Amino acid sequence: MVQCGAGIELKSLARRAFAHYLRTGQYLPESAFAPANMRAEVKFNPYHDPRDGRFTFATGGGSAVGVAARPERRRSIQTGGVRVPPVGTPPLRSADVPKSQATGFDDGVFRPRRFDASALRPVQFEAESRPRARSNFDSMIRPMTLQPDFPGFAGAVGGSIVNAADDFLEVTGPARDATMELTKNASNVLIDQITKIDPLYRFDSLGFPQTIDGMNNQLNGLHRDRAAAFYRMRREMRPLQVETLHYLQSRVDKAYEEGVGLLREGKLNVRLSPNEALGTYIDARSRRDLRDLYRWMQISIERGEPVQVNRRHYDTRENDRAFRLPDARIGKVAFDMTLTRKTMADSQIKGFFNADAEPEMVIIVRPRQLGPNHTYAIKTPGR
């Protein structure tokens, strides 16, 4: 060891040169680390947004879209895998981590499972008007309750509207190679979760998909397998509610695009108005797709089951047995697909909440093409 300045102890020149190489990949002569030549160093971060130069952490976050992981980092992900806490394990909080580890960095090495990711901020962080996107891997593993999709719902007053999170359908993605590795890791995590619920589960595949669409389809299929396993084995409906919402949103978006094309070609039967014809087409197409999905998931939607598609929901408190027809219902959550914005002022929504099933939430699913706040939830006003 050598001494520098006012008694500050330094490593040998060879060790300092080697440490510098490990952090930056840059070879420098040992003489560059002599006390007379020393200068302040900063740790190297290879992940930055090429558009504005702003740094981010690992391959996640909105600033990292389109940035490929470095080869050495990719190898470490593939070899070591990604560890995710077992189902039901509460997330690690920053308060639970020693202060020396609270930043998630140690000698410039990123360790994703040792910190609360929400506490990280990129270099030269500036406040943004909307929340940052979730990391790539976290976005690939969907939550198993609707709470993250509708933040603030638990604390909302009865009858109020809670908009869906801006990114509840978004999956940020790096370059193709990194996406393949993240998809493999996410797939393994989901398969492990499913087999813990249903030991007889088998994931049949003809090979790993080679396209982005194929990888998304594989992850979507595994998420639905997980939801089906929870429902069949444990009668747990919350994962199925999440998957139904995501599936309906994708089908409504696609049906809207198809319906607009058919309307322009004059192939839709317009009775009251073009919007009415378009809405009717979206409802019929999306409900048909949803029935096919439940059939594929081996989930019964017969009368009396907790999962229903377009069945009458009666309010037996009325003498005339009034009823409403939600597009779908899973337990205490009802779904309604529509083009128009609906609130508690609409008799249809009141009828949903007054039905004997007593839903606690009505989710209004509208095409994303309609703009911000297209999909939202209405909280029960209480009976």
Side-chain angles (χ1 to χ4, degrees), residues 13-14 17 28-38:
L13 299 184
L28 290 178
E30 296 180 9
S31 60
F33 299 94
N37 298 327
M38 286 183 56

Side-chain angles (χ1 to χ4, degrees), residues 40 57 60 94 113 141 174 205 215 277 302:
F57 57 89
S94 57
R113 306 310 304 178
I141 304 293
S205 173
M215 287 184 271
E302 296 300 319

Side-chain angles (χ1 to χ4, degrees), residues 120-283:
L120 276 183
R121 294 293 183 269
V123 176
Q124 299 177 343
F125 173 80
E126 297 178 1
E128 298 183 357
S129 59
R130 64 181 180 85
R132 293 179 60 83
R134 293 174 291 181
S135 69
N136 299 306
F137 185 81
D138 289 341
S139 295
M140 288 182 172
I141 304 293
R142 281 200 284 267
M144 289 188 282
T145 70
L146 290 168
Q147 183 62 33
D149 288 337
F150 297 99
F153 184 86
V157 299
S160 61
I161 289 176
V162 178
N163 292 319
D166 290 340
D167 62 345
F168 90 98
L169 276 184
E170 301 300 326
V171 177
T172 60
R176 179 178 177 275
D177 289 344
T179 301
M180 290 181 65
E181 293 172 13
L182 289 172
T183 302
K184 289 177 183 177
N185 288 326
S187 298
N188 289 334
V189 169
L190 289 168
I191 292 171
D192 182 61
Q193 291 178 350
I194 298 169
T195 52
K196 287 179 179 177
I197 303 166
D198 183 2
L200 299 180
Y201 174 79
R202 285 185 54 189
F203 175 66
D204 297 322
S205 173
L206 297 177
F208 189 79
Q210 301 300 307
T211 65
I212 297 297
D213 287 342
M215 287 184 271
N216 285 334
N217 290 338
Q218 175 170 300
L219 286 177
N220 284 331
L222 286 169
H223 279 107
R224 291 161 191 160
D225 286 350
R226 183 180 67 175
F230 266 103
Y231 181 76
R232 292 197 307 265
M233 305 299 291
R234 300 182 181 178
R235 215 61 171 176
E236 170 59 65
M237 289 177 276
R238 288 176 294 180
L240 187 59
Q241 292 166 351
V242 173
E243 294 310 312
T244 296
L245 169 62
H246 284 249
Y247 184 76
L248 282 180
Q249 185 68 70
S250 66
R251 304 317 296 173
V252 165
D253 293 345
K254 184 175 182 179
Y256 178 85
E257 184 177 347
E258 294 174 349
V260 168
L262 294 173
L263 195 60
R264 288 172 179 167
E265 296 172 4
K267 295 181 179 180
L268 288 187
N269 182 22
V270 179
R271 294 182 299 176
L272 300 178
S273 68
N275 267 356
E276 181 270 341
L278 181 58
T280 299
Y281 174 82
I282 293 173
D283 285 353

Side-chain angles (χ1 to χ4, degrees), residues 52-65:
D52 56 20
R54 191 169 66 184
F55 286 92
T56 183
F57 57 89
T59 56
S63 296
V65 176

